[in-house]
Each structure stands twice: as structure tokens, then as C-alpha cells.
Amino acid sequence: MDLNQRFEDYIAADQKIEAKDWMPDDYRKTLIRQISQHAHSEIIGMLPEGNWITRAPSLKRKAILLAKVQDEAGHGLYLYSAAETLGAQRDDLMDALIEGRAKYSSIFNYPTLTWADMGAIGWLVDGAAIMNQVPLCKCSYGPYARAMVRVCKEESFHQRQGFQIMLNLCEGTDEQREMAQDSLNRWWWPSLMMFGPNDESSTHNEQSMRWKIKRFSNDELRQRFVDMTIPQIELLGLTVPDKDLRWNESTGHYEMGAIDWQEFFNVIAGNGPCNKERIAARKKAHNDGEWVRQAASAYAEKMRTDVMPNQTHAA
Amino acid sequence: MSSQSSKWPLWEVFVRSRQGLSHKHVGSLHASDANMAIANARDVYTRRQEGVSIWVLPAEAISASSPADKDILFDPANDKVYRHATFYNLPDEVKNM
């Protein structure tokens, strides 16, 4: 049978495509782009929260935040591994990131100014990520789908701990409530931008939907997120920083105000508040770790030659 | 610029979730040697008590059947329904067989 036909039949039948199956070049390229950007987002996403590990208000909060940031590292690794099954090389992906050639989620280019931001990130940013990631558990590429199952299992603790931080602040002093509101004000719009451009201006939407990499459009997922989150904001007693937001009785959905897409594209283009800082931090960590990687390689080589001296020189 | 890790072999990781079950493939990672692979596999794949034992195996040591050979390998089993217990209709009087 024609290879392309078999691929199309698999997709139509909701069968998973596996690493060694034939696939169109564009499908492979699209997946490498999406999975590697996703992996980069997990890795860069450690930085805004890492900022507060040493300043967490209690030992308990510190342990929780450490565990969350460690999870993000793990998520990055599951995803890099999934990208590698498609023939991508880990070091090429890493180089693209630290040389500023790769994209990652725009949200991580905003600064974490107060402890409340740890709440807002877990609640809103991880909440938006979950909204995006749950459908990806059913995406057509097997290794990506399986990685997302693991990620989603771990992600719900992230969102709940974030909401709990917000809840505690909102039950606290006026100053703490203000801190929570300020944080919501700063993270609300960037969180909505996480779902990507509006459907009519999204370049990758249609093909990815056809290939069942994406299951829902950017706007559909954004709407779901808003509908789910507004009642939570009300529960906290906070105000949605959107004066145009209104409940539409007839559709049963909230209508949100206009998103500042200029800001979104500006951040994507590298001009957000922290783009340079994030890449510089990643680059420094990578370079500072070079001697460790070299030492590990030297040690492995030494052990190999010590254990099997004859084989090494046999050829 | 390129780091040493590109020369590190890829290891496939298998985790036994609890005593009495078999090791199951969970993913892969790069490491300089088997010890580092086990240490990293512990951090990456068993942060929530997912396992009681880890196997790591150099990915290059695995030989796999090719998807193109799927028909040759597995089609012959298609028409052998008599290999399944449900193929045999027995009288209702025979219980638990």
C-alpha cells in the first residue's frame, strides 16, 4: 500500500503514529517544532519560579516549590526525548535555545515580582497549560501523547498549590489581598495569550488539526479557560482585570475584552521584559555545567577501559 | 559550543512499579554510563513512588522489528482463532472451563 495512504488511514482511524512508522516530512517537522518548543517552555519555565525558591515564606512552601520546579525539569526531559524519537538531536535543540533561535511560551518572559506570582503562575499559567495539554494526551504521535499523559498527571498538583497560595493571601491582610490582586492583574492577559493567536491568524492551526496533533483550536481552548477561571476569581474575591468582560446568557459563555496582540508578538519577537535574562540564565547554567559533563564522560571512558582493557585496543 | 552530552549514549528506562510485576518501559535519557543513567532515571521517572526497581539498557542494544514487516510477522496469527479459548463452544453444563 502507498505509504502516505497508510499514514492517512492511521490518522483517520485514530491510530497512533509511532517513531519508526513512515510519516510525511511536514508532519515530522511540525512535531519537532512543537515538541521542542514545548520542552524549551518547561525548561525556561523553571526560571521565573526558581527566583522564589530561596525566598519562599516557609519551609513547607519551599519544599513544594522545589518539587514543582523539579517536575518542570522532568517534563522538559520527557519532551526532549519525544522530539529525539523523530530524529532531532538533543544538543541541536539545546543550542537553538541558548543561541536564541528557538521559541518557547511567551509567558515565561514576564518577571516574578512578588510571592503572589508563585500563586498566580501555578493557578493561571499551569491551569492554561493543562487546558492545552489534556487534549495533547490524545494527539496522533504516540511518544508525544505518552509524554503528555505523564505531564498531565503531575501538573494538577501544580495548579492546586498555586490556587492555595492565592487563597491564603486572599484570606489574609489587606496588603496580602492587594498583592494577590496585583499579581492577577499582571498574569491574566499573558495567560490568555498562552493559547496563541486568534484562530483566523494562527498559521499552524488547520494542518495540525487535520493531523490530529491539535484537537481544539486556540480560541476554543482560551474560551474554556476563561469560563472555568472566572468563577475561581470570584471565589477568591478578586476582580478580573478586564472591564469588557461580560457573561453572555444566551451562549452560556463569558465574552472577554480584546487581547493586546501587539504585546504578544512583541514578546515572541524577543522584546518582552525578561527574554534576554532568561536566555542568559539558561546559557550560563549550560556553560557552567560543561566541566561536569566532561568529567562524567572522562570517568565513563576510564571505567570502560579499566574494565575491558583488551577490547578497547583490539580493533 | 556543543556539549559532551551528544556523545553520551541513549538509555531506555524500565521501571518495576511494584514487587511481582514486570519492568515496563517508561522512557529514555542520555547518560555517560549506567550508574548515571540509573541515578537520572530515579529523578526523572520515579519522583512519585512509581517504582521499586529500575533497569537501564543502552538503546543501541535493542533490536526491533520493522513496521514494514508487520504483515509478514503478524498476519499469520490472524486466521488462527482456534488459539483462543472463546473459539470453543461448550455446553452450559460445563462450568468454569
Side-chain angles (χ1 to χ4, degrees):
Chain A
M1 195 196 296
D2 172 33
L3 289 171
N4 192 54
Q5 188 55 50
R6 187 161 71 182
F7 171 82
E8 293 291 344
D9 289 348
Y10 263 54
I11 297 282
D14 273 336
Q15 292 252 40
K16 298 282 183 233
I17 307 298
E18 294 295 341
K20 290 191 169 169
D21 290 328
W22 184 91
M23 62 188 84
D25 282 348
D26 281 345
Y27 177 82
R28 186 185 298 275
K29 267 187 228 155
T30 299
L31 278 169
I32 290 177
R33 180 181 51 76
Q34 180 172 336
I35 298 172
S36 63
Q37 285 179 9
H38 196 160
H40 296 327
S41 300
E42 302 284 355
I43 297 302
I44 295 293
M46 297 164 75
L47 297 170
E49 291 182 298
N51 185 33
W52 281 89
I53 290 175
T54 56
R55 287 177 282 168
S58 69
L59 201 53
K60 181 181 134 197
R61 288 294 182 195
K62 185 172 179 164
I64 292 170
L65 189 57
L66 261 174
K68 180 181 188 298
V69 172
Q70 194 186 12
D71 273 356
E72 309 299 359
H75 297 176
L77 195 128
Y78 309 152
L79 287 158
Y80 283 128
S81 295
E84 283 176 282
T85 64
L86 292 156
Q89 295 297 312
R90 177 78 57 98
D91 284 18
D92 294 343
L93 300 177
M94 208 41 86
D95 286 348
L97 177 63
I98 61 182
E99 287 162 16
R101 288 181 281 117
K103 284 183 184 166
Y104 54 86
S105 184
S106 58
I107 193 92
F108 301 119
N109 292 311
Y110 292 86
T112 44
L113 304 178
T114 69
W115 172 251
D117 290 358
M118 297 306 97
I121 288 181
W123 169 41
L124 298 174
V125 176
D126 288 80
I130 291 170
M131 203 55 93
N132 266 326
Q133 287 167 345
V134 167
L136 286 172
C137 295
K138 292 189 170 179
C139 101
S140 59
Y141 186 57
Y144 191 24
R146 290 191 288 275
M148 292 324 298
V149 170
R150 292 190 71 91
V151 168
C152 285
K153 260 189 211 161
E154 299 178 353
E155 202 84 60
S156 75
F157 127 66
H158 297 180
Q159 195 186 14
R160 290 170 71 105
Q161 65 85 35
F163 190 78
Q164 199 192 51
I165 289 174
M166 295 303 273
L167 199 59
N168 289 355
L169 288 172
C170 290
E171 288 165 346
T173 63
D174 287 348
E175 206 181 352
Q176 286 171 319
R177 259 190 304 279
E178 277 163 33
M179 193 195 275
Q181 180 66 55
D182 166 68
S183 185
L184 172 61
N185 293 349
R186 285 181 290 109
W187 291 96
W188 176 250
W189 291 103
S191 296
L192 297 190
M193 292 174 197
M194 281 178 71
F195 295 94
N198 286 130
D199 292 348
E200 61 268 22
S201 49
S202 174
T203 41
H204 304 299
N205 241 334
E206 203 178 314
Q207 182 60 275
S208 289
M209 298 275 273
R210 238 175 38 73
W211 277 331
K212 296 186 181 170
I213 296 172
K214 274 184 89 129
R215 296 290 183 149
F216 302 97
S217 76
N218 294 352
D219 285 336
E220 276 177 288
L221 292 170
R222 183 166 21 241
Q223 184 65 53
R224 268 193 215 178
F225 176 74
V226 169
D227 289 343
M228 191 191 74
T229 310
I230 300 295
Q232 296 167 358
I233 296 176
E234 287 166 356
L235 184 73
L236 291 171
L238 297 176
T239 309
V240 189
D242 178 357
K243 60 180 173 26
D244 297 322
L245 185 97
R246 63 181 201 92
W247 171 251
N248 186 325
E249 192 78 47
S250 59
T251 60
H253 293 292
Y254 286 95
E255 288 174 6
M256 58 197 110
I259 291 171
D260 182 359
W261 291 114
Q262 191 60 44
E263 175 182 327
F264 174 74
F265 289 113
N266 196 39
V267 176
I268 290 280
N271 305 316
C274 300
N275 295 54
K276 291 184 181 65
E277 186 186 329
R278 300 290 183 241
I279 295 299
R282 185 59 238 151
K283 197 170 187 167
K284 183 176 185 305
H286 187 76
N287 292 343
D288 288 355
E290 180 64 22
W291 72 269
V292 180
R293 292 190 293 275
Q294 282 182 11
S297 291
Y299 178 76
E301 179 61 20
K302 183 173 182 295
M303 293 310 281
R304 204 172 59 82
T305 47
D306 282 358
V307 173
M308 303 182 293
N310 297 326
Q311 276 96 328
T312 333
H313 302 288
Chain B
M1 183 78 249
S2 223
S3 72
Q4 289 289 319
S5 61
S6 58
K7 290 157 205 144
W8 287 356
L10 187 67
W11 302 79
E12 298 299 332
V13 181
F14 300 78
V15 170
R16 185 201 293 282
S17 57
R18 60 190 166 81
Q19 212 61 28
L21 298 180
S22 53
H23 287 76
K24 191 164 172 269
H25 183 244
V26 291
S28 57
L29 46 78
H30 292 278
S32 58
D33 61 19
N35 285 338
M36 186 198 265
I38 288 177
N40 288 352
R42 166 200 176 266
D43 286 346
V44 174
Y45 293 108
T46 62
R47 287 195 301 282
R48 289 177 175 76
Q49 298 173 295
E50 288 93 339
V52 293
S53 161
I54 297 171
W55 284 353
V56 293
L57 194 65
E60 63 175 17
I62 295 178
S63 306
S65 68
S66 158
D69 293 340
K70 205 172 77 174
D71 295 348
I72 303 168
L73 289 174
F74 307 115
D75 262 10
N78 275 352
D79 56 1
K80 295 177 179 62
V81 285
Y82 48 82
R83 283 177 174 164
H84 297 275
T86 48
F87 178 75
Y88 303 92
N89 289 322
L90 301 184
D92 290 345
E93 289 77 8
V94 183
K95 290 171 184 148
N96 303 323
M97 186 182 282

